[in-house]
Amino acid sequence: LQDIRNTVGNIPMEWYQDFPHIGYDLDGKKIYKPIRNKDELDMFLEKMENPDYWRTVQDKMTGADIKLTDEQVDLVHRLQRGQFGDVHFNPYEPAVDFFTHEVMIHPVTNRPADKRSFIPSLIEKEKVSKLVHAIKMGWIKPRKPKDDSPSYYDLWAHEDPNSILGRHKMHVPAPKMKLPGHEESYNPPPEYLLSEEEKLAWEQQEVAERKLNFVPQRFGSLRQVPAYPRFIQERFERCLDLYLCPRQRKMRVNVNPEDLIPKLPKPRDLQPFPTTQALIYRGHSSLVRCLSISPSGQWLVSGSDDGTVRFWEVCTARCMKTLPVGGVVKSIAWNPNPTICLVAICVEQSVLLVNPCLGDKLLYGATDQLLESYVAPEEERVQPVRWVTATAEEHSKGIRLVIQHSKAVKQVTWHGKGDYLASVVSDNSSMQVLIHQSSKRWSQSPFRRSKGMVQVVLFHPTRPYFFVATQRYVRIYNLLKQELTKKLMTNCKWVSSMAIHPGGDNIICGSYDSKLAWFDLDLSTRPYQLLRHHKRALRSVAFHRRYPLFASGSDDGSVIVCHGMVYNDLLQNPLLVPVKVLKGHVITLDLGVLDVLFHPTQPWVFSSGADGTIRLYT
Amino acid sequence: TIPRRLCILKGIYPHEPKHKKKVNKGSTAPRTFYLLKDIKFLLHEPIVSKFREYKVFVRKLRKAFGKSEWGTVERLKDNKPTYRLDHIVKERYPTFTDALRDLDDALSMCFLFSTFPRTGKCHVQTVQLCRRLAVEWLNYIIASRSLRKVFLSIKGIYYQAEVLGQPITWITPYTFAHDHPTDVDYRVMATFTEFYTTLLGFVNFRLYHSLNLVYPPKIDGQADVELKPTEGKEYAMDSESYLEKLSALSASLARVVAPAHEDEVEMDEFPVEGETSEEMDTRKKEQEALEKQKKLFEGLRFFLSREVPREPLAFIIRCFGGQVSWDKSLCIGATYGVSDPSITHHIVDRPRPEPQLVGRCYLQPQWVFDSVNAKMCLPVADYFPGVLLPPHLSPFVTEQEGDYVPPEKLKLLALQRGENPDEESEEEEEEEEEEDDNDKEEEEDEDESEKEEEMKLKKMEEQKTQSNKALPVKVTAGKVRLEDRKRLEQEQQSEEKRLAIMMMKKREKYLYKKIMFGKKRKVREANKLAAKRKAHDTAVKEEKKKSKKARRA
């Protein structure tokens, strides 16, 4: 055997696995691995045939096969059995005592005792004196006597039932923990167990949001119930709640919800009011924007986006007359004077005064005569509008006069006497509101300055007052004194419509933010009540001339009729009770009811809708 | 910062300011606020100085350890400062009823700590003290028979006792080793426990004296003799055997004055002012029911099998006057063996018990709990071993009107009223069986009926054609449209209500809507539970039917 010294040191020999050599000798030359050209079959054959195969091992350092000698094999066997490697070593030699157990008569050493074992120790003295000093100085306290007072005694022997908590009167005792319900049982009724989806939902919920802080489970018997893994956590959380949670007395509202509902008079006691849909007036092909009714209550006129004005007979729903006006009809108003048969119609930039030629021939003949009896004044006065007499063709259709404005007209309304009419122009100047006198064909602009976009104007039914609603305020002018008498805050964002109580002391305003404000002019400039009955914007409101009723129409397609009783007694506030919600109009283009109107004598209400119909509720 | 320990001991809690912005310098960030008064109050506490002393002691001790001055260490340890919480207990609970009212958490905590291992998480003394106090409490409840309700939940066992008119509820965990969580601060819990043990000790003392019992509790002389036999020595060390005997809950306690044989003084009835005779009657009835409940298990002898949780069952049975025993090897304090012929109820919790002895009921433990909650001994048939148990209901739920009431509860209520719903249900079952039979017949019948229907249709058609032939113009008699008056009225009322709601003020409307929403949600939940139950019941029935069919086939 050659003396090969591998110089690689104590390293894992796998590092040389892929190399032909296995290390370097002392001269730095490679030590090559012995050639191994045996394949597995050869190996197997060798394993089978070589009788010494079992005692052949591979030397890792040289890579050579070494056959173990008999002694080496013996050594391995002995080590495996846990015996000593040396054959000749005897682990069970007889023991020899170091000292004898017998008592001897002579001492081991005969040395005389030191002097220091007879005199007191200086070091100890020093220590003691230190302790004494420390005790004297109070640094060390003598052991305290055992406290043998009983650990528990009757603490509340002299309790004072009236005594309050030492801290303060406002102590809030900690609320008790919630008592468990059926779902916490180890064997709950089956309906309390969570289904798969519920379990999933429970797992996905935030821990704080969970209604139950555990999943209900069912165990067949008590022995199957395991320990609850979150028991300690729950106690701990309770501890945290006790000392970290602010406590507050919360007044639990314990009201019967029925008691919250205001006690209103029954609608049945407030009859008459319209309850059912009676008639539908069909004919318009587009949305019907405006309605008006003759003072006698026999004829109804409606203006629509299809450019026509239709006259209906109320009781039969028959269209008596169709008047094409060639433009969108924004507003329409029948002269409230029963002796005059005249309708004002807003079409684009002009207001048409139309004699519908319906009803009593004498009556409408007289109206024509009245209009024709006009004599032009000698000197032409400067007017903001032009009064034009209708042409022959127009005359045959019924149009008598045309008041031509410079801008598009929004609204027209008559004074109660039937001579004056006011029109609103969509403009932002001072010329927004114009008051016309039809008998003298004379117009004037009452305001010097504009106070904002005028939405609606109204005449007071009896007194010389004029109501102008801008977006957020309603101003009341005295026309005689020519001054502002009142300014009402509507508390709404955008007023859409306004109506006045026939008594003249109450106003209602509808607004696009779906509120209806009731003003009592004697009470205050703020709304007496703000009703939020509708879900969408209010388009129009109306008062009944005789009955204590008012109605509002809204984009949600409903008309709400309310009982609005005004008492003569000034001390009693008006009583407002909603009595009926009337539905019928189909919502088209996000618009529902566009105009509502009461019959002058009957408790009937008309509504015109975006679906091109007019409905009568009786 | 406020010292946490002081806050816990003195029961100081933070405060929610009325104007958060004003207090918090304009910011609304979440912070905890304490009342200045409270903090000042804390500073005046004498225990603060004790805490300081302790801190100094710890510092000195550490120093001595560092210098390895063992003598000093010994000396310091001898003079370890201690403090007592008596005055704080008295201050926080000026009257005894106050203390009782706040006992829930104290008990739950003590029962939890008494199950802790004696290593690691907290001091051994604390655990031992908690165990002692808990056992004392249980013994008091037994002696005063004031347990009212018990509930086996998946979290643990809830007990409710009524002590001096105060309902006290506590929960004990099931007796398993705890898997100690890492996200729990044991120091906080230990501080709470420190206070609670003091409180519970004083309460126990007072309660024991109110019943003329010796405190610390002593086992009654006769029972003591009975318990003497040497088995105790094998079971526990001398120092511990007494507590173990106590905690076995099988012996009655010694009294200061020997009880004069249940001399229950007849209480004179004073009618409370403004109380009608009806109310008085109901009160009397309640009183009687209570007395009856207290003697629920009187005269019954129970034997607990090994697999049954011994302590809760022994406690409950003893609370209601029953006698209880268990296997000698299970615990100290067993008074009679399995083979005692006088045993009336044997509580087992295995599917198939070994040879059953004649003359006793073998029951599952739930029977005891359900009987206590029902205030009567329930019929045993549902609770035999291996039987599918009826659901265990919570006794703490009192259903209000509109709440969902599980059918088992209805059954129980009927039982309490003295009716016997079992018979009915059996009849129902029989009926159902009959129905099942009918179903089959119907199935057979169906073909025939279909044929019949076809015939009918044909006939009708014939009739029609005939009539058509006879009269080319048909006039049918007008039907009188019956107006459902009730419905109309209802509609009208609902409309009135809707209109009235429209007139509500904004704030009231909001409140009303909120209340109504809550009510609706409640109804929805109840409906959901009912629907679930129905689905479950039908599923079970289907299964039964199938199995029956399979058996027949």
Side-chain angles (χ1 to χ4, degrees):
Chain A
L1 208 81
Q2 281 170 297
D3 178 34
I4 301 171
R5 293 275 176 79
N6 198 344
T7 58
V8 289
N10 187 16
I11 56 157
M13 293 311 289
E14 298 91 76
W15 292 356
Y16 284 91
Q17 228 170 27
D18 299 335
F19 294 101
H21 60 284
I22 200 160
Y24 305 91
D25 62 7
L26 285 173
D27 300 331
K29 292 205 176 115
K30 285 177 182 170
I31 306 169
Y32 287 94
K33 288 178 188 167
I35 297 155
R36 290 182 180 274
N37 48 8
K38 290 176 185 168
D39 55 6
E40 279 188 26
L41 191 63
D42 288 333
M43 298 258 274
F44 178 70
L45 284 178
E46 197 189 342
K47 187 179 175 181
M48 290 286 108
E49 288 168 359
N50 191 355
D52 291 332
Y53 182 81
W54 61 274
R55 57 162 64 178
T56 315
V57 294
Q58 192 186 352
D59 187 358
K60 266 190 185 171
M61 295 301 278
T62 59
D65 287 341
I66 301 166
K67 206 195 280 173
L68 299 181
T69 58
D70 282 346
E71 290 91 70
Q72 283 168 328
V73 171
D74 208 29
L75 181 67
V76 170
H77 278 308
R78 257 183 285 127
L79 288 179
Q80 273 178 340
R81 262 179 272 140
Q83 291 170 343
F84 287 95
D86 189 359
V87 194
H88 307 293
F89 181 76
N90 181 10
Y92 306 112
E93 297 266 352
V96 180
D97 281 347
F98 196 75
F99 291 109
T100 170
H101 61 278
E102 289 156 15
V103 181
M104 300 291 181
I105 51 164
H106 296 294
V108 181
T109 62
N110 211 4
R111 193 162 164 268
D114 284 325
K115 182 190 175 186
R116 63 168 180 266
S117 56
F118 296 102
I119 58 171
S121 154
L122 265 178
I123 300 167
E124 271 180 17
K125 189 185 166 194
E126 209 169 87
K127 271 187 184 167
V128 168
S129 70
K130 256 187 192 170
L131 283 175
V132 167
H133 182 64
I135 289 170
K136 270 185 189 166
M137 297 302 284
W139 297 334
I140 295 177
K141 291 206 180 72
R143 193 174 298 155
K144 267 187 221 158
K146 271 261 168 157
D147 183 19
D148 52 347
S149 61
S151 54
Y152 299 120
Y153 51 92
D154 195 356
L155 189 67
W156 291 279
H158 309 287
E159 74 179 21
D160 175 13
N162 299 324
S163 72
I164 47 158
L165 198 68
R167 192 147 54 98
H168 48 73
K169 295 169 200 167
M170 286 299 289
H171 177 73
V172 184
K176 296 200 169 186
M177 278 188 96
K178 216 182 135 215
L179 289 171
H182 297 312
E183 61 275 359
E184 208 182 308
S185 166
Y186 86 101
N187 183 13
E191 62 268 33
Y192 287 97
L193 296 171
L194 299 186
S195 62
E196 286 300 317
E197 305 102 65
E198 282 170 328
K199 218 177 265 179
L200 208 70
W202 184 88
E203 272 160 17
Q204 281 167 353
Q205 256 175 340
E206 287 282 316
V207 176
E209 278 177 6
R210 284 174 188 166
K211 220 172 178 193
L212 298 173
N213 56 1
F214 59 93
V215 182
Q217 269 175 298
R218 191 173 180 284
F219 298 99
S221 63
L222 188 58
R223 70 172 185 282
Q224 291 166 352
V225 185
Y228 183 59
R230 285 188 45 81
F231 194 91
I232 296 177
Q233 266 111 326
E234 270 183 19
R235 286 322 315 166
F236 179 62
E237 276 158 24
R238 171 71 178 168
C239 287
L240 290 187
D241 283 352
L242 282 178
Y243 91 101
L244 281 182
C245 280
R247 294 182 201 164
Q248 227 171 6
R249 266 184 214 281
K250 280 258 161 93
M251 298 311 278
R252 169 73 59 86
V253 188
N254 202 4
V255 280
N256 187 1
E258 300 302 319
D259 296 346
L260 286 174
I261 298 174
K263 291 277 165 290
L264 296 174
K266 287 207 166 171
R268 207 181 302 162
D269 307 338
L270 303 175
Q271 270 169 350
F273 55 81
T275 52
T276 49
Q277 179 176 304
L279 289 174
I280 302 178
Y281 304 81
R282 289 184 203 279
H284 282 295
S285 58
S286 184
L287 28 130
V288 186
R289 277 205 190 268
C290 43
L291 287 175
S292 188
I293 193 159
S294 70
S296 60
Q298 196 182 357
W299 313 106
L300 181 74
V301 62
S302 63
S304 161
D305 269 13
D306 58 5
T308 58
V309 171
R310 281 174 189 259
F311 294 87
W312 315 82
E313 188 173 17
V314 167
C315 298
T316 57
R318 189 169 154 213
C319 181
M320 303 301 290
K321 214 172 168 187
T322 309
L323 180 69
V325 290
V328 173
V329 181
K330 283 278 177 63
S331 171
I332 203 162
W334 202 298
N335 195 323
N337 191 342
T339 59
I340 300 172
C341 186
L342 205 59
V343 180
I345 303 167
C346 289
V347 181
E348 289 171 355
Q349 300 196 349
S350 50
V351 175
L352 312 177
L353 294 182
V354 174
N355 187 347
C357 302
L358 289 172
D360 195 351
K361 199 162 189 184
L362 271 178
L363 207 69
Y364 66 76
T367 309
D368 276 348
Q369 277 177 7
L370 190 75
L371 287 176
E372 278 158 18
S373 67
Y374 167 73
V375 185
E378 294 91 57
E379 46 184 293
E380 195 75 13
R381 282 189 291 187
V382 182
Q383 289 194 26
V385 296
R386 254 174 0 111
W387 289 75
V388 179
T389 323
T391 58
E393 190 195 346
E394 283 174 339
H395 195 277
S396 66
K397 281 201 267 176
I399 301 169
R400 298 292 180 260
L401 280 172
V402 181
I403 310 169
Q404 285 180 343
H405 294 67
S406 50
K407 295 265 175 59
V409 185
K410 255 198 318 202
Q411 194 223 341
V412 64
T413 180
W414 285 96
H415 183 255
K417 294 264 170 55
D419 193 15
Y420 289 93
L421 76 157
S423 64
V424 181
V425 176
S426 49
D427 185 7
N428 217 359
S429 69
S430 59
M431 304 280 277
Q432 280 185 91
V433 182
L434 298 168
I435 295 181
H436 317 283
Q437 191 178 9
S438 59
S439 58
K440 291 186 181 164
R441 304 195 184 176
W442 158 243
S443 310
Q444 57 184 342
S445 152
F447 303 122
R448 228 171 290 135
R449 274 198 300 140
S450 143
K451 295 274 172 75
M453 280 269 278
V454 174
Q455 302 297 316
V456 200
V457 294
L458 263 184
F459 286 103
H460 192 281
T462 47
R463 280 186 285 171
Y465 287 127
F466 189 58
F467 298 85
V468 179
T470 55
Q471 274 184 19
R472 312 190 64 163
Y473 306 103
V474 177
R475 291 186 173 79
I476 305 170
Y477 296 94
N478 190 332
L479 290 174
L480 277 185
K481 290 184 189 163
Q482 305 210 334
E483 64 182 14
L484 178 72
T485 46
K486 236 175 215 174
K487 185 179 164 192
L488 308 177
M489 331 285 179
T490 58
N491 287 2
C492 306
K493 292 274 155 55
W494 195 312
V495 172
S496 65
S497 52
M498 180 167 62
I500 185 159
H501 190 263
D505 276 344
N506 295 280
I507 294 183
I508 49 174
C509 282
S511 79
Y512 287 118
D513 48 349
S514 63
K515 290 181 202 161
L516 189 148
W518 173 290
F519 291 96
D520 193 334
L521 296 182
D522 300 333
L523 215 62
S524 106
T525 60
R526 297 201 170 270
Y528 158 64
Q529 232 169 28
L530 209 58
L531 309 174
R532 289 179 196 79
H533 294 170
H534 286 285
K535 292 191 178 64
R536 305 276 300 274
L538 263 79
R539 288 280 164 183
S540 76
V541 290
F543 263 115
H544 199 281
R545 219 172 281 173
R546 284 214 197 139
Y547 294 102
L549 291 175
F550 65 92
S552 54
S554 146
D555 276 351
D556 57 9
S558 66
V559 176
I560 294 182
V561 182
C562 299
H563 178 88
M565 190 64 178
V566 177
Y567 299 97
N568 288 331
D569 181 7
L570 282 177
L571 290 175
Q572 204 164 3
N573 286 328
L575 170 75
L576 309 183
V577 184
V579 288
K580 191 72 194 172
V581 180
L582 300 166
K583 281 179 185 162
H585 283 289
V586 184
I587 295 170
T588 41
L589 303 170
D590 263 2
L591 296 173
V593 179
L594 292 175
D595 201 1
V596 290
L597 181 73
F598 274 108
H599 193 273
T601 51
Q602 300 291 326
W604 298 347
V605 68
F606 300 93
S607 67
S608 70
D611 52 353
T613 60
I614 304 161
R615 283 158 204 260
L616 168 66
Y617 302 94
T618 57
Chain B
T1 57
I2 313 286
R4 183 178 60 198
R5 203 139 72 112
L6 212 53
C7 279
I8 292 172
L9 292 178
K10 296 277 282 181
I12 301 287
Y13 49 86
H15 226 79
E16 192 69 28
K18 262 186 187 165
H19 303 283
K20 210 165 190 185
K21 260 190 173 173
K22 240 185 228 176
V23 189
N24 206 2
K25 291 170 190 160
S27 112
T28 50
R31 275 180 68 187
T32 46
F33 299 96
Y34 287 87
L35 288 181
L36 200 64
K37 215 177 179 183
D38 282 344
I39 297 169
K40 278 182 185 156
F41 173 68
L42 282 185
L43 293 180
H44 286 299
E45 178 56 40
I47 212 164
V48 174
S49 62
K50 293 276 170 75
F51 283 163
R52 282 199 191 118
E53 258 173 49
Y54 194 81
K55 225 158 109 188
V56 171
F57 159 74
V58 170
R59 207 187 300 142
K60 278 183 183 164
L61 198 69
R62 207 186 302 132
K63 197 169 164 190
F65 261 115
K67 290 182 173 175
S68 30
E69 292 170 352
W70 307 120
T72 326
V73 169
E74 280 299 301
R75 187 169 46 72
L76 284 173
K77 271 187 179 168
D78 278 344
N79 280 345
K80 184 176 172 181
T82 54
Y83 58 91
R84 305 193 56 155
L85 301 172
D86 317 4
H87 63 285
I88 298 185
V89 172
K90 178 82 201 240
E91 184 190 80
R92 278 179 68 173
Y93 306 108
T95 62
F96 185 54
T97 20
D98 287 338
L100 282 181
R101 216 173 284 157
D102 233 10
L103 212 58
D104 287 16
D105 293 312
L107 280 170
S108 299
M109 201 65 145
C110 276
F111 275 95
L112 170 65
F113 263 68
S114 63
T115 60
F116 274 180
R118 307 217 169 166
T119 49
K121 295 297 168 192
C122 53
H123 292 295
V124 182
Q125 290 93 332
T126 319
V127 174
Q128 278 170 341
L129 182 63
C130 282
R131 175 73 189 153
R132 204 192 97 199
L133 291 170
V135 167
E136 281 170 9
W137 172 259
L138 290 183
N139 272 312
Y140 167 75
I141 296 290
I142 289 174
S144 66
R145 295 207 177 171
S146 45
L147 191 69
R148 293 290 171 270
K149 289 167 182 176
V150 282
F151 179 50
L152 289 166
S153 110
I154 53 172
K155 294 182 179 176
I157 305 175
Y158 286 89
Y159 302 91
Q160 190 172 50
E162 200 178 302
V163 179
L164 304 183
Q166 296 290 340
I168 295 169
T169 319
W170 73 94
I171 179 174
T172 60
Y174 288 113
T175 45
F176 291 102
H178 292 287
D179 183 14
H180 283 284
T182 48
D183 53 344
V184 163
D185 188 354
Y186 277 90
R187 285 175 303 170
V188 173
M189 300 244 280
T191 316
F192 268 102
T193 313
E194 197 182 353
F195 178 75
Y196 284 154
T197 47
T198 321
L199 170 67
L200 194 58
F202 284 116
V203 168
N204 276 347
F205 185 92
R206 170 99 177 194
L207 286 175
Y208 270 74
H209 278 254
S210 70
L211 278 190
N212 276 332
L213 294 171
V214 181
Y215 188 90
K218 259 189 197 142
I219 293 170
D220 203 9
Q222 303 164 355
D224 209 10
V225 174
E226 283 171 25
L227 282 179
K228 261 284 140 65
T230 46
E231 54 141 332
K233 273 176 197 162
E234 294 159 18
Y235 184 74
M237 286 189 292
D238 266 352
S239 58
E240 287 177 341
S241 74
Y242 200 73
L243 181 65
E244 290 298 332
K245 272 181 204 166
L246 258 182
S247 62
L249 303 174
S250 64
S252 52
L253 301 180
R255 287 172 191 264
V256 178
V257 185
H261 277 287
E262 302 296 316
D263 50 344
E264 285 194 6
V265 184
E266 276 288 313
M267 294 288 270
D268 285 341
E269 294 282 336
F270 292 107
V272 180
E273 249 179 79
E275 199 178 51
T276 59
S277 60
E278 274 182 31
E279 280 173 11
M280 219 158 77
D281 276 355
T282 54
R283 207 160 55 109
K284 219 175 188 180
K285 247 178 215 168
E286 270 174 26
Q287 203 81 28
E288 273 171 23
L290 196 68
E291 285 303 316
K292 214 175 140 196
Q293 196 201 357
K294 277 183 186 173
K295 291 173 182 165
L296 183 64
F297 294 147
E298 204 121 295
L300 302 184
R301 278 164 84 84
F302 289 83
F303 189 83
L304 306 181
S305 203
R306 310 183 55 92
E307 69 279 0
V308 173
R310 189 196 64 83
E311 194 178 286
L313 275 168
F315 169 59
I316 293 165
I317 291 167
R318 291 261 295 130
C319 267
F320 294 95
Q323 276 178 298
V324 64
S325 180
W326 44 85
D327 199 86
K328 225 183 247 176
S329 59
L330 181 62
C331 183
I332 201 169
T335 43
Y336 46 86
V338 206
S339 49
D340 195 322
S342 61
I343 292 172
T344 55
H345 293 78
H346 192 132
I347 309 292
V348 285
D349 197 0
R350 17 185 132 173
R352 207 139 277 291
E354 326 71 89
Q356 299 193 349
L357 293 171
V358 185
R360 59 175 81 168
C361 295
Y362 283 85
L363 292 173
Q364 296 208 40
Q366 195 188 321
W367 180 81
V368 176
F369 290 84
D370 280 351
S371 294
V372 167
N373 291 337
K375 300 180 183 174
M376 59 188 289
C377 285
L378 290 174
V380 290
D382 295 341
Y383 298 91
F384 285 145
V387 165
L388 186 73
L389 288 169
H392 180 59
L393 297 176
S394 165
F396 303 111
V397 182
T398 46
E399 279 92 357
Q400 262 119 31
E401 216 181 293
D403 285 355
Y404 173 71
V405 187
E408 286 81 13
K409 179 104 179 184
L410 292 176
K411 219 185 258 177
L412 186 75
L413 288 175
L415 253 181
Q416 279 172 339
R417 265 180 269 126
E419 297 159 19
N420 199 348
D422 264 9
E423 287 173 12
E424 289 166 24
S425 66
E426 270 170 30
E427 279 170 22
E428 271 174 32
E429 270 174 31
E430 277 168 25
E431 276 173 26
E432 275 165 26
E433 278 172 27
E434 279 170 23
E435 271 175 30
D436 296 350
D437 295 343
N438 289 345
D439 281 352
K440 274 187 183 171
E441 283 164 22
E442 274 170 27
E443 279 165 27
E444 287 160 15
D445 288 346
E446 258 176 34
D447 300 334
E448 287 170 25
S449 62
E450 273 176 26
K451 277 175 196 171
E452 272 175 30
E453 268 178 33
E454 274 176 30
M455 293 286 282
K456 268 184 195 171
L457 279 175
K458 271 183 190 173
K459 266 185 193 173
M460 293 242 293
E461 275 174 25
E462 278 170 23
Q463 276 177 356
K464 263 188 195 172
T465 49
Q466 277 176 2
S467 60
N468 281 358
K469 276 170 197 168
L471 284 172
V473 182
K474 202 170 143 194
V475 179
T476 49
K479 260 190 191 170
V480 181
R481 231 175 84 196
L482 281 173
E483 286 196 344
D484 197 350
R485 202 168 273 176
K486 253 188 199 168
R487 225 186 109 195
L488 262 178
E489 205 153 283
Q490 251 181 3
E491 268 177 19
Q492 202 161 14
Q493 269 178 2
S494 68
E495 196 184 341
E496 271 171 29
K497 201 169 158 191
R498 233 179 303 138
L499 290 172
I501 288 168
M502 283 201 317
M503 275 309 281
M504 275 162 114
K505 277 177 202 152
K506 204 173 173 186
R507 190 185 297 164
E508 282 179 353
K509 204 188 228 168
Y510 173 73
L511 187 65
Y512 178 82
K513 276 190 180 160
K514 227 172 148 186
I515 293 174
M516 288 322 262
F517 177 76
K519 274 193 173 174
K520 267 181 200 158
R521 191 180 46 194
K522 225 179 198 177
V523 169
R524 209 166 49 226
E525 267 163 23
N527 286 345
K528 197 176 156 198
L529 282 178
K532 244 171 142 182
R533 176 65 182 227
K534 208 173 165 192
H536 178 263
D537 281 355
T538 49
V540 166
K541 217 181 263 177
E542 292 273 301
E543 201 122 293
K544 244 191 205 168
K545 230 187 233 175
K546 253 184 213 169
S547 66
K548 207 178 270 177
K549 263 182 196 171
R551 239 185 296 150
R552 273 185 200 171

